[in-house]
Structures are given as C-alpha cells and as structure tokens.
Amino acid sequence: VLAITGSFGDRCSDFEDIKVNVANDVIIVQPVLERKADISCAPEKVRFLKTIELNENVKAGMYMLHVRSLNGQAINKLVDLE
C-alpha cells in the first residue's frame, strides 16, 4: 500500500485519478487533479490522505519512488518493499 499525504491550497482541487506505473525498478506515481469551478474557491489549506494498493507486479525489493507534484518539485526516494 502506498500512502500520499499533503494539502491543497483551496477547496476546488481534488483527485481525479492516481496513476501508478512500474518500470526498471522505478515506481512512478502521477496524481491527476481536477478543478471544480462550481464551488467556492476561497484560499484554504485542505489536507488529504490517499492510499493506493500496489498490484502484484510490484515484488519485494529496492525501488526508486518518483512522485510528481503540482509545484514541479517531484519527490524521489529509495524505498525497500518487503
């Protein structure tokens, strides 16, 4: 299970999808967001926690975890999956 935490800057943003791909010992996580214009978009810190079940193709071992972010500052970290 992979957990993604953080915060949005307003109530208009939400997750449309979270794509996960595995290639060459790299787990690539690409959050896809949507903006809802039909609700108030006042600036407000809105925290989130999303969990994603990794499929059976992800075996135990060492991986580079690459998570894309809205601000262009991707998060890269070595993880040891058991």
Side-chain angles (χ1 to χ4, degrees):
V1 175
L2 177 68
I4 298 176
T5 63
S7 61
F8 295 124
D10 59 42
R11 291 199 171 275
C12 289
S13 300
D14 201 1
F15 289 97
E16 180 178 311
D17 191 15
I18 299 176
K19 298 177 183 180
V20 178
N21 295 306
V22 180
N24 300 325
D25 297 330
V26 178
I27 301 172
I28 303 164
V29 181
Q30 183 179 6
V32 179
L33 301 180
E34 64 180 347
R35 299 231 350 126
K36 300 176 186 175
D38 59 337
I39 60 175
S40 174
C41 291
E44 181 178 346
K45 189 173 187 176
V46 180
R47 294 187 180 275
F48 61 81
L49 168 64
K50 291 289 187 181
T51 58
I52 302 106
E53 186 81 26
L54 297 174
N55 65 31
E56 63 276 355
N57 295 337
V58 182
K59 306 293 184 203
M62 191 70 97
Y63 290 87
M64 169 66 78
L65 179 63
H66 174 76
V67 183
R68 297 186 184 172
S69 66
L70 281 174
N71 65 5
Q73 301 296 315
I75 298 167
N76 295 295
K77 183 176 183 180
L78 288 176
V79 293
D80 190 2
L81 302 181
E82 298 179 2

mmCIF file with all atom_site columns, all heavy atoms in Angstrom, residues 27-38:
data_model
loop_
_atom_site.group_PDB
_atom_site.id
_atom_site.type_symbol
_atom_site.label_atom_id
_atom_site.label_alt_id
_atom_site.label_comp_id
_atom_site.label_asym_id
_atom_site.label_entity_id
_atom_site.label_seq_id
_atom_site.pdbx_PDB_ins_code
_atom_site.Cartn_x
_atom_site.Cartn_y
_atom_site.Cartn_z
_atom_site.occupancy
_atom_site.B_iso_or_equiv
_atom_site.pdbx_formal_charge
_atom_site.auth_seq_id
_atom_site.auth_comp_id
_atom_site.auth_asym_id
_atom_site.auth_atom_id
_atom_site.pdbx_PDB_model_num
ATOM 1  N N   . ILE A 1 27 ? 9.094   3.150  -9.297  1.00 0.00 ? 27 ILE A N   1
ATOM 2  C CA  . ILE A 1 27 ? 7.652   3.273  -9.146  1.00 0.00 ? 27 ILE A CA  1
ATOM 3  C C   . ILE A 1 27 ? 7.311   4.735  -9.410  1.00 0.00 ? 27 ILE A C   1
ATOM 4  O O   . ILE A 1 27 ? 7.765   5.626  -8.692  1.00 0.00 ? 27 ILE A O   1
ATOM 5  C CB  . ILE A 1 27 ? 7.194   2.862  -7.737  1.00 0.00 ? 27 ILE A CB  1
ATOM 6  C CG1 . ILE A 1 27 ? 7.591   1.410  -7.443  1.00 0.00 ? 27 ILE A CG1 1
ATOM 7  C CG2 . ILE A 1 27 ? 5.683   3.054  -7.586  1.00 0.00 ? 27 ILE A CG2 1
ATOM 8  C CD1 . ILE A 1 27 ? 7.353   0.982  -6.009  1.00 0.00 ? 27 ILE A CD1 1
ATOM 9  N N   . ILE A 1 28 ? 6.546   4.971  -10.471 1.00 0.00 ? 28 ILE A N   1
ATOM 10 C CA  . ILE A 1 28 ? 6.184   6.334  -10.876 1.00 0.00 ? 28 ILE A CA  1
ATOM 11 C C   . ILE A 1 28 ? 4.742   6.590  -10.468 1.00 0.00 ? 28 ILE A C   1
ATOM 12 O O   . ILE A 1 28 ? 3.830   5.878  -10.893 1.00 0.00 ? 28 ILE A O   1
ATOM 13 C CB  . ILE A 1 28 ? 6.347   6.513  -12.394 1.00 0.00 ? 28 ILE A CB  1
ATOM 14 C CG1 . ILE A 1 28 ? 7.778   6.185  -12.809 1.00 0.00 ? 28 ILE A CG1 1
ATOM 15 C CG2 . ILE A 1 28 ? 5.948   7.920  -12.823 1.00 0.00 ? 28 ILE A CG2 1
ATOM 16 C CD1 . ILE A 1 28 ? 7.959   5.951  -14.286 1.00 0.00 ? 28 ILE A CD1 1
ATOM 17 N N   . VAL A 1 29 ? 4.552   7.601  -9.628  1.00 0.00 ? 29 VAL A N   1
ATOM 18 C CA  . VAL A 1 29 ? 3.218   7.961  -9.142  1.00 0.00 ? 29 VAL A CA  1
ATOM 19 C C   . VAL A 1 29 ? 2.850   9.311  -9.740  1.00 0.00 ? 29 VAL A C   1
ATOM 20 O O   . VAL A 1 29 ? 3.574   10.287 -9.565  1.00 0.00 ? 29 VAL A O   1
ATOM 21 C CB  . VAL A 1 29 ? 3.190   8.023  -7.603  1.00 0.00 ? 29 VAL A CB  1
ATOM 22 C CG1 . VAL A 1 29 ? 1.795   8.371  -7.111  1.00 0.00 ? 29 VAL A CG1 1
ATOM 23 C CG2 . VAL A 1 29 ? 3.673   6.711  -6.993  1.00 0.00 ? 29 VAL A CG2 1
ATOM 24 N N   . GLN A 1 30 ? 1.749   9.338  -10.461 1.00 0.00 ? 30 GLN A N   1
ATOM 25 C CA  . GLN A 1 30 ? 1.312   10.567 -11.127 1.00 0.00 ? 30 GLN A CA  1
ATOM 26 C C   . GLN A 1 30 ? -0.110  10.919 -10.685 1.00 0.00 ? 30 GLN A C   1
ATOM 27 O O   . GLN A 1 30 ? -1.086  10.405 -11.218 1.00 0.00 ? 30 GLN A O   1
ATOM 28 C CB  . GLN A 1 30 ? 1.358   10.409 -12.641 1.00 0.00 ? 30 GLN A CB  1
ATOM 29 C CG  . GLN A 1 30 ? 0.986   11.651 -13.379 1.00 0.00 ? 30 GLN A CG  1
ATOM 30 C CD  . GLN A 1 30 ? 1.061   11.460 -14.886 1.00 0.00 ? 30 GLN A CD  1
ATOM 31 O OE1 . GLN A 1 30 ? 1.282   10.368 -15.389 1.00 0.00 ? 30 GLN A OE1 1
ATOM 32 N NE2 . GLN A 1 30 ? 0.868   12.534 -15.608 1.00 0.00 ? 30 GLN A NE2 1
ATOM 33 N N   . PRO A 1 31 ? -0.237  11.804 -9.690  1.00 0.00 ? 31 PRO A N   1
ATOM 34 C CA  . PRO A 1 31 ? -1.573  12.256 -9.303  1.00 0.00 ? 31 PRO A CA  1
ATOM 35 C C   . PRO A 1 31 ? -2.180  13.121 -10.415 1.00 0.00 ? 31 PRO A C   1
ATOM 36 O O   . PRO A 1 31 ? -1.515  13.995 -10.953 1.00 0.00 ? 31 PRO A O   1
ATOM 37 C CB  . PRO A 1 31 ? -1.324  13.095 -8.044  1.00 0.00 ? 31 PRO A CB  1
ATOM 38 C CG  . PRO A 1 31 ? 0.054   12.728 -7.587  1.00 0.00 ? 31 PRO A CG  1
ATOM 39 C CD  . PRO A 1 31 ? 0.796   12.345 -8.821  1.00 0.00 ? 31 PRO A CD  1
ATOM 40 N N   . VAL A 1 32 ? -3.422  12.843 -10.748 1.00 0.00 ? 32 VAL A N   1
ATOM 41 C CA  . VAL A 1 32 ? -4.146  13.625 -11.744 1.00 0.00 ? 32 VAL A CA  1
ATOM 42 C C   . VAL A 1 32 ? -5.253  14.367 -10.990 1.00 0.00 ? 32 VAL A C   1
ATOM 43 O O   . VAL A 1 32 ? -6.076  13.742 -10.324 1.00 0.00 ? 32 VAL A O   1
ATOM 44 C CB  . VAL A 1 32 ? -4.754  12.725 -12.840 1.00 0.00 ? 32 VAL A CB  1
ATOM 45 C CG1 . VAL A 1 32 ? -5.527  13.555 -13.852 1.00 0.00 ? 32 VAL A CG1 1
ATOM 46 C CG2 . VAL A 1 32 ? -3.660  11.902 -13.512 1.00 0.00 ? 32 VAL A CG2 1
ATOM 47 N N   . LEU A 1 33 ? -5.240  15.694 -11.088 1.00 0.00 ? 33 LEU A N   1
ATOM 48 C CA  . LEU A 1 33 ? -6.202  16.508 -10.346 1.00 0.00 ? 33 LEU A CA  1
ATOM 49 C C   . LEU A 1 33 ? -7.273  17.073 -11.254 1.00 0.00 ? 33 LEU A C   1
ATOM 50 O O   . LEU A 1 33 ? -7.085  17.200 -12.462 1.00 0.00 ? 33 LEU A O   1
ATOM 51 C CB  . LEU A 1 33 ? -5.484  17.656 -9.639  1.00 0.00 ? 33 LEU A CB  1
ATOM 52 C CG  . LEU A 1 33 ? -4.404  17.263 -8.652  1.00 0.00 ? 33 LEU A CG  1
ATOM 53 C CD1 . LEU A 1 33 ? -3.790  18.499 -8.026  1.00 0.00 ? 33 LEU A CD1 1
ATOM 54 C CD2 . LEU A 1 33 ? -4.960  16.349 -7.587  1.00 0.00 ? 33 LEU A CD2 1
ATOM 55 N N   . GLU A 1 34 ? -8.391  17.426 -10.653 1.00 0.00 ? 34 GLU A N   1
ATOM 56 C CA  . GLU A 1 34 ? -9.445  18.139 -11.349 1.00 0.00 ? 34 GLU A CA  1
ATOM 57 C C   . GLU A 1 34 ? -9.810  19.359 -10.518 1.00 0.00 ? 34 GLU A C   1
ATOM 58 O O   . GLU A 1 34 ? -9.630  19.374 -9.312  1.00 0.00 ? 34 GLU A O   1
ATOM 59 C CB  . GLU A 1 34 ? -10.670 17.253 -11.556 1.00 0.00 ? 34 GLU A CB  1
ATOM 60 C CG  . GLU A 1 34 ? -11.352 16.815 -10.284 1.00 0.00 ? 34 GLU A CG  1
ATOM 61 C CD  . GLU A 1 34 ? -12.563 15.936 -10.537 1.00 0.00 ? 34 GLU A CD  1
ATOM 62 O OE1 . GLU A 1 34 ? -13.028 15.867 -11.691 1.00 0.00 ? 34 GLU A OE1 1
ATOM 63 O OE2 . GLU A 1 34 ? -13.053 15.328 -9.582  1.00 0.00 ? 34 GLU A OE2 1
ATOM 64 N N   . ARG A 1 35 ? -10.271 20.392 -11.207 1.00 0.00 ? 35 ARG A N   1
ATOM 65 C CA  . ARG A 1 35 ? -10.697 21.622 -10.522 1.00 0.00 ? 35 ARG A CA  1
ATOM 66 C C   . ARG A 1 35 ? -12.190 21.764 -10.709 1.00 0.00 ? 35 ARG A C   1
ATOM 67 O O   . ARG A 1 35 ? -12.683 21.722 -11.831 1.00 0.00 ? 35 ARG A O   1
ATOM 68 C CB  . ARG A 1 35 ? -9.975  22.830 -11.088 1.00 0.00 ? 35 ARG A CB  1
ATOM 69 C CG  . ARG A 1 35 ? -8.496  22.732 -10.908 1.00 0.00 ? 35 ARG A CG  1
ATOM 70 C CD  . ARG A 1 35 ? -7.749  23.843 -10.297 1.00 0.00 ? 35 ARG A CD  1
ATOM 71 N NE  . ARG A 1 35 ? -8.373  25.094 -10.058 1.00 0.00 ? 35 ARG A NE  1
ATOM 72 C CZ  . ARG A 1 35 ? -8.380  25.670 -8.853  1.00 0.00 ? 35 ARG A CZ  1
ATOM 73 N NH1 . ARG A 1 35 ? -7.829  25.070 -7.839  1.00 0.00 ? 35 ARG A NH1 1
ATOM 74 N NH2 . ARG A 1 35 ? -8.914  26.857 -8.689  1.00 0.00 ? 35 ARG A NH2 1
ATOM 75 N N   . LYS A 1 36 ? -12.891 21.929 -9.620  1.00 0.00 ? 36 LYS A N   1
ATOM 76 C CA  . LYS A 1 36 ? -14.345 22.098 -9.648  1.00 0.00 ? 36 LYS A CA  1
ATOM 77 C C   . LYS A 1 36 ? -14.664 23.583 -9.509  1.00 0.00 ? 36 LYS A C   1
ATOM 78 O O   . LYS A 1 36 ? -14.454 24.165 -8.465  1.00 0.00 ? 36 LYS A O   1
ATOM 79 C CB  . LYS A 1 36 ? -14.982 21.312 -8.515  1.00 0.00 ? 36 LYS A CB  1
ATOM 80 C CG  . LYS A 1 36 ? -14.697 19.829 -8.583  1.00 0.00 ? 36 LYS A CG  1
ATOM 81 C CD  . LYS A 1 36 ? -15.261 19.126 -7.384  1.00 0.00 ? 36 LYS A CD  1
ATOM 82 C CE  . LYS A 1 36 ? -14.842 17.669 -7.403  1.00 0.00 ? 36 LYS A CE  1
ATOM 83 N NZ  . LYS A 1 36 ? -15.263 16.970 -6.193  1.00 0.00 ? 36 LYS A NZ  1
ATOM 84 N N   . ALA A 1 37 ? -15.167 24.167 -10.563 1.00 0.00 ? 37 ALA A N   1
ATOM 85 C CA  . ALA A 1 37 ? -15.438 25.607 -10.554 1.00 0.00 ? 37 ALA A CA  1
ATOM 86 C C   . ALA A 1 37 ? -16.807 25.938 -9.969  1.00 0.00 ? 37 ALA A C   1
ATOM 87 O O   . ALA A 1 37 ? -17.135 27.098 -9.797  1.00 0.00 ? 37 ALA A O   1
ATOM 88 C CB  . ALA A 1 37 ? -15.340 26.156 -11.973 1.00 0.00 ? 37 ALA A CB  1
ATOM 89 N N   . ASP A 1 38 ? -17.597 24.926 -9.644  1.00 0.00 ? 38 ASP A N   1
ATOM 90 C CA  . ASP A 1 38 ? -18.948 25.191 -9.177  1.00 0.00 ? 38 ASP A CA  1
ATOM 91 C C   . ASP A 1 38 ? -19.046 25.398 -7.660  1.00 0.00 ? 38 ASP A C   1
ATOM 92 O O   . ASP A 1 38 ? -20.129 25.599 -7.135  1.00 0.00 ? 38 ASP A O   1
ATOM 93 C CB  . ASP A 1 38 ? -19.881 24.064 -9.598  1.00 0.00 ? 38 ASP A CB  1
ATOM 94 C CG  . ASP A 1 38 ? -19.449 22.719 -9.053  1.00 0.00 ? 38 ASP A CG  1
ATOM 95 O OD1 . ASP A 1 38 ? -18.262 22.560 -8.728  1.00 0.00 ? 38 ASP A OD1 1
ATOM 96 O OD2 . ASP A 1 38 ? -20.308 21.825 -8.953  1.00 0.00 ? 38 ASP A OD2 1
#
